[in-house]
Amino acid sequence: MVAACDSAKCTCREVSHTQQPGCWLASSGSFKVFSFRSATEAEEMAKHCERLRSKLADEYGFESGKSKWQHRCEVYLFPSKQRYGAVVGRAAQETLGSSLVTPATGAIKNRRIDLRTDVTDYRTEVLPHELTHVLIADHFRDGPPPLWYDEGLALLADSEDKQVLHQRDLRNGINRGKTFALADLLTIQQYPPQDQVGVFYGQCASLARYLSTKGEPRKMHEFARRSQKVGVNLSLQETYGISGVARLEPMWRKSIASSVPIIAARYSPSKNSN
Ligand SMILES: [Zn+2]
């Protein structure tokens, strides 16, 4: 399905400029990009964000990505770690990008992505992940999405190189007997301690990839939404016809034992059917 914002009449990708104190602002249909380097950088990023948003909405079946965001997503391009860190705070200083959607419930008032642009390939290595988080937030207005799903789906938007690293982290976790029981992974609400973050991400990505082989993306969205209302077991039964987490766990573990080389199995609407 082609997103509405891809239509020939759509003005989403038309970009206007404003010189701001100390930076340049480029505005498109759904984005306001602030560059501290140049008007060109801001404009190119606004166009890129529009294209990427449409692509992710198509791949993941996000309805919200098919019309303009009323409250445009602000994207800040920081040319150094220092400037990025000064804004995002100490907790996120070791990251290369971050996203924030507020408030957590009800109508969205603010969407924001902060990126470091002094790193190679931030457009492909960082932006797709953060933009996926922003798209997901549109569909969870009664409260935050399940953490495994929010990260798992965003991780599938990562580059193939990064996917390999996530798989390595999962493999290390398996070898050390440090993986999470799925009953825990599916209900965890806080990020685990630093020494478990790698396997956590690897496992979230792996589970999202596995579920993406079980039907259209909307099934995973529905599974995540229903899990919060009726619990994981009933949601699994309703959405995937799987009798519960106790059944899903061996299915998923068997799949990773036999499919380690499979990486970057991103959604392809043309290949997926019911
Ligand atoms: Zn993330």
Side-chain angles (χ1 to χ4, degrees):
M1 185 187 299
V2 176
C5 290
D6 275 343
S7 75
K9 292 178 183 169
C10 182
T11 58
C12 280
R13 292 176 188 171
E14 290 177 8
V15 177
S16 62
H17 294 274
T18 320
Q19 175 95 47
Q20 301 279 303
C23 71
W24 288 266
L25 163 63
S27 301
S28 62
S30 294
F31 293 91
K32 292 168 74 174
V33 179
F34 298 83
S35 168
F36 300 96
R37 276 200 175 113
S38 68
T40 303
E41 183 184 59
E43 176 172 344
E44 286 181 352
M45 183 53 115
K47 290 177 179 172
H48 180 70
C49 285
E50 291 289 349
R51 285 193 297 270
L52 182 60
R53 178 175 175 270
S54 293
K55 178 172 174 282
L56 290 170
D58 268 359
E59 286 185 356
Y60 289 163
F62 288 132
E63 293 301 320
S64 67
K66 296 175 180 176
S67 55
K68 288 182 189 178
W69 273 328
Q70 251 192 339
H71 291 276
R72 290 174 189 160
C73 182
E74 296 185 346
V75 180
Y76 289 83
L77 306 176
F78 293 104
S80 69
K81 180 179 180 180
Q82 288 73 21
R83 294 188 71 169
Y84 171 79
V87 172
V88 301
R90 192 180 301 172
Q93 275 203 13
E94 296 310 313
T95 64
L96 302 178
S98 59
S99 53
L100 183 67
V101 176
T102 57
T105 59
I108 290 174
K109 300 268 176 37
N110 297 290
R111 298 177 174 88
R112 175 175 177 137
I113 293 174
D114 295 285
L115 296 171
R116 278 178 58 188
T117 60
D118 59 327
V119 292
T120 314
D121 297 334
Y122 63 92
R123 286 183 172 203
T124 53
E125 297 290 342
V126 186
L127 180 62
H129 183 111
E130 300 305 332
L131 189 50
T132 300
H133 283 317
V134 177
L135 281 160
I136 287 173
D138 278 320
H139 297 266
F140 287 82
R141 301 320 306 150
D142 294 332
L147 196 52
W148 74 267
Y149 159 84
D150 196 18
E151 287 301 345
L153 217 52
L155 289 160
L156 290 192
D158 283 349
S159 68
E160 291 191 14
D161 287 349
K162 266 194 165 180
Q163 305 257 357
V164 170
L165 296 178
H166 301 320
Q167 289 205 337
R168 181 206 61 188
D169 289 343
L170 173 61
R171 180 56 56 195
N172 287 343
I174 291 171
N175 291 341
R176 291 185 291 117
K178 295 288 188 186
T179 54
F180 294 79
L182 282 197
D184 296 332
L185 188 82
L186 288 166
T187 53
I188 195 170
Q189 295 182 11
Q190 303 281 339
Y191 288 93
Q194 195 59 36
D195 63 341
Q196 296 174 38
V197 165
V199 69
F200 170 74
Y201 278 132
Q203 202 168 347
C204 288
S206 175
L207 182 60
R209 186 180 303 116
Y210 175 67
L211 290 176
S212 74
T213 67
K214 297 283 175 202
E216 290 179 340
R218 63 179 174 78
K219 275 197 171 188
M220 204 187 322
H221 308 329
E222 186 62 16
F223 170 49
R225 265 193 298 270
R226 290 291 289 161
S227 293
Q228 295 184 310
K229 291 201 163 61
V230 302
V232 170
N233 286 324
L234 185 54
S235 180
L236 261 178
Q237 178 65 56
E238 287 178 354
T239 315
Y240 289 107
I242 297 171
S243 56
V245 182
R247 177 73 192 109
L248 177 65
E249 177 108 37
M251 291 168 69
W252 167 71
R253 288 193 183 270
K254 187 178 174 190
S255 80
I256 54 173
S258 61
S259 65
V260 171
I262 297 176
I263 59 166
R266 298 176 68 174
Y267 291 128
S268 175
S270 59
K271 290 179 186 165
N272 281 332
S273 61
N274 269 345

